[in-house]
Amino acid sequence: MPNPLFDALFAAGAPDSAALEGQGVRWTYADLAAEAARLHGALAALGVAPGDRVAVQTQKSPQALALYLAAVRAGAVYLPLNPAYTDAELAYFVADAEPALVVCDPSREDGVRALAGTAATATLDAAGQGGLMRAAARAAPPGGPVGRSEEDLAAICYTSGTTGRSKGAMLTQRALLSNALCLKDLWRFTPEDRLIHALPIYHVHGLFVASHTALLAGARLLFQAKFEPEAVLDAMTGASVLMGVPTFYTRLLAHPGLDRAAASGMRLFISGSAPLLAQTHEAFAARTGHRILERYGMTETGMNASNPYEGERRAGTVGPPLPGVGLRIAEPLSGAALGPGEVGAIEVRGPNVCAGYWRNPEKTAEAFREDGFFITGDLGYVDERGYVVIVGRDKDLIISGGLNIYPKEVETEIDALDGVEESAVIGLPHDDFGEAVTAVVVRQTSATLDEAEVLARLADRLARFKQPKRVLFVEALPRNAMGKVEKARLRQDHHGLYRGS
Ligand code: MLC
Ligand code: AMP
């Protein structure tokens, strides 16, 4: 029985050619396939059946990538989770997704056991060791990949909600595979490629855009535990492609080692997940001779648009829609189509788009138009050359270092603190992270709460990247005639807070 996604990921790489190097391993495609098969055995032994969810909150390692591939091989639904999430955050995902198995770092085992309910638990550490690997060693070898159809789910990726809790985007084999095949061709991946993989693998960028594209082409992944400019510069001598968020590029530019010679063996630099400033694009081109290729996507849709491989890469744009992806600009409320150059809601339709939100028909209905277009929540226009320009967001979202933070979630935690009357959380321009989470707080009369106290009290409630970089206190929040907090005004008032950061 075919398993379209798994089969495709192992179709191009010759068994004895290099698939993944770094973090202590040198695996051929045969090694990677064997590791995925062994881990499939462990999943089965731990009670995971086809269609079951497997939640994974581990540090990045080659074994963690093999675990993802094992879940696809087992016909399970993979649920990647940022290791920065606290137990309080994790409890929600586990309750919502009802996984059959939760895999976590050994340091988190007690907390995870307490919240896992009926789910089995297993451990995998940053070195790729732990109870899961021991289970794999003991397990009976499974048969081949479990048969799946393209409509079957391969993953659920949670994205925060503007209001309320996170929603699980249901990603089918078709959505993942069609997008990956498209990107492989568009970005000209071949077996000769060596991709520097310094992204986390708990989000679509590192897990799907980077890993799938390289594996589908039979290329080599150069795995790094996390992004370190020095290590990426070193790796460039033996690499051909880098994928990253804009913070990767601003940090590389801040390194004196970045020059034409350092980048001379590279054929492609790709950026996405957050806006790449035109000045970063220009500065990178001046230093290295390479024009960064910017693309646009989201968890629910995979990639939607990309600057071309050949042809003009326009700074400040995300390029034309991908082949097979319908993209239109619509009037946000009515959904009526707008003309070229007009700013409106970006909506997309295609095989790449998710099948809706897990057990959440209301949010699914809100996200799609009747004709099947998905409302991205981004605002933009299409320029005279057919390139998409993103000008802002119709959703109250902060993107910091490529990670999304929904202000509502942070405000809810701050508002629950003793001494807080109310709060507004905004993103302010930040040279390193692009935007920095900033809380503007009104204290209750006579409360003495200060910045350090607010931050200390958020520490075990919110993942570190969601915690405000600064907490400002004001007498009152600015409101419009409707009583709504004027976040634009707050952003204006505090625009320069991180200048020079
Ligand atoms: C880490 N911190 C962050 C942060 N990452 N704070 C805000 N925003 C972030 N993104 C915290 C750390 O915990 C630390 O806290 C402090 O900030 C400084 O950390 P650092 O050492 O500078 O961070 P670092 O570990 O180097 O990580 C920064 C980063 C990383 C940019 C390399 O965040 C990263 O890899 N981002 C990529 C995220 C990604 O893959 N996004 C794709 C989403 S998919 P302390 O304790 O030291 O104070 C998607 C769809 C699409 O969006 O289109 O691709
Ligand atoms: P996520 O929910 O983490 O998948 O983030 C998706 C969001 O990231 C999109 O809706 C956009 O707002 C943003 N995004 C991704 N790529 C780009 C880009 N190249 N330029 C601007 N915003 C981007």
Side-chain angles (χ1 to χ4, degrees):
M1 281 266 281
N3 180 320
L5 180 59
F6 187 86
D7 298 346
L9 292 174
F10 284 92
D16 59 354
S17 65
L20 192 158
E21 283 177 15
Q23 295 196 261
V25 311
R26 279 180 98 85
W27 283 346
T28 61
Y29 273 85
D31 295 332
L32 182 60
E35 195 72 14
R38 266 195 298 278
L39 284 162
H40 174 180
L43 295 180
L46 287 159
V48 174
D52 281 349
R53 275 77 59 211
V54 175
V56 177
Q57 190 195 34
T58 63
Q59 297 298 326
K60 179 180 180 182
S61 67
Q63 291 78 7
L65 183 70
L67 174 58
Y68 159 65
L69 296 168
V72 179
R73 195 182 194 282
V77 181
Y78 192 75
L79 202 157
L81 295 163
N82 188 336
Y85 290 144
T86 62
D87 284 355
E89 292 166 309
L90 195 59
Y92 168 76
F93 298 116
V94 171
D96 193 58
E98 294 189 308
L101 172 69
V102 185
V103 181
C104 67
D105 190 81
S107 64
R108 304 288 298 272
E109 196 178 8
D110 290 346
V112 168
R113 278 235 175 94
L115 59 83
T118 55
T121 59
T123 57
L124 181 66
D125 68 17
Q129 302 298 318
L132 183 74
M133 303 314 279
R134 290 193 290 278
R138 283 192 306 268
V146 169
R148 294 278 93 182
S149 90
E150 291 211 337
E151 308 312 320
D152 282 320
L153 295 188
I156 297 179
C157 292
Y158 275 83
T159 76
S160 309
T162 310
T163 55
R165 307 306 300 253
S166 295
K167 301 163 288 182
M170 298 191 288
L171 304 172
T172 59
Q173 288 223 346
R174 180 195 304 283
L176 297 179
L177 185 53
S178 66
N179 210 228
L181 286 167
C182 175
L183 298 177
K184 171 183 81 76
D185 291 343
L186 200 74
W187 296 337
R188 309 280 197 272
F189 269 75
T190 74
E192 306 309 314
D193 274 310
R194 293 161 185 229
L195 171 72
I196 303 177
H197 193 302
L199 287 157
I201 55 170
Y202 51 75
H203 274 317
V204 304
H205 196 165
L207 187 60
F208 303 141
V209 184
S211 307
H212 280 175
T213 308
L215 294 177
L216 266 185
R220 186 180 311 196
L221 292 164
L222 306 178
F223 243 45
Q224 303 195 347
K226 62 174 290 223
F227 174 76
E228 302 279 5
E230 195 85 33
V232 167
L233 280 165
D234 282 351
M236 275 188 203
T237 48
S240 59
V241 184
L242 174 70
M243 284 187 201
V245 298
T247 300
F248 282 23
Y249 293 103
T250 50
R251 289 188 183 182
L252 282 170
L253 278 165
H255 195 290
L258 183 78
D259 56 20
R260 273 173 193 261
S264 62
M266 298 285 288
R267 71 169 181 88
L268 182 60
F269 292 89
I270 303 176
S271 177
S273 305
L276 182 78
L277 294 180
Q279 73 205 48
T280 308
H281 182 107
E282 300 304 346
F284 200 87
R287 277 276 279 287
T288 65
H290 284 275
R291 300 203 81 85
I292 298 171
L293 182 156
E294 185 173 8
R295 58 60 175 178
Y296 159 61
M298 61 188 300
T299 302
E300 288 93 327
T301 63
M303 300 303 102
N304 293 315
S306 168
N307 271 282
Y309 186 74
E310 276 144 21
E312 190 191 355
R313 297 181 196 162
R314 286 192 157 188
T317 81
V318 294
L322 298 184
V325 175
L327 186 148
R328 72 181 178 203
I329 306 296
E331 203 280 313
L333 283 180
S334 67
L338 295 174
E342 288 188 279
V343 172
I346 301 176
E347 301 185 353
V348 295
R349 185 171 66 182
N352 55 312
V353 177
C354 70
Y357 295 112
W358 172 255
R359 292 181 179 164
N360 201 337
E362 282 127 59
K363 294 288 177 199
T364 301
E366 278 171 25
F368 287 88
R369 300 277 183 205
E370 269 175 14
D371 57 3
F373 272 84
F374 177 82
I375 306 165
T376 64
D378 293 308
L379 298 173
Y381 65 94
V382 179
D383 75 9
E384 73 291 351
R385 293 269 307 266
Y387 285 45
V388 179
V389 182
I390 300 172
V391 299
R393 295 171 210 137
D394 197 19
K395 48 191 175 189
D396 195 12
L397 166 70
I398 300 169
I399 305 184
S400 167
L403 293 174
N404 289 8
I405 299 102
Y406 276 88
K408 178 86 186 145
E409 189 184 355
V410 186
E411 288 160 4
T412 305
E413 293 294 344
I414 296 177
D415 292 350
L417 300 178
D418 282 345
V420 171
E421 179 71 34
E422 60 173 350
S423 65
V425 168
I426 52 173
L428 293 177
H430 189 280
D431 290 344
D432 186 31
F433 288 124
E435 291 178 302
V437 177
T438 309
V440 186
V441 175
V442 180
R443 289 191 196 93
Q444 281 167 353
T445 338
S446 79
T448 55
L449 196 71
D450 63 10
E451 180 170 24
E453 212 177 326
V454 172
L455 293 176
R457 284 158 70 180
L458 293 179
D460 65 348
R461 300 293 307 163
L462 291 173
R464 188 75 189 91
F465 72 89
K466 296 181 193 168
Q467 293 169 28
K469 298 288 177 209
R470 290 293 315 273
V471 180
L472 311 174
F473 292 92
V474 295
E475 291 299 317
L477 295 175
R479 291 184 185 278
N480 65 16
M482 309 291 289
K484 203 168 174 295
V485 176
E486 291 178 301
K487 291 202 168 174
R489 185 146 149 228
L490 281 175
R491 280 193 289 270
Q492 221 170 37
D493 289 351
H494 302 287
H495 190 263
L497 187 66
Y498 301 98
R499 191 155 288 146
S501 54

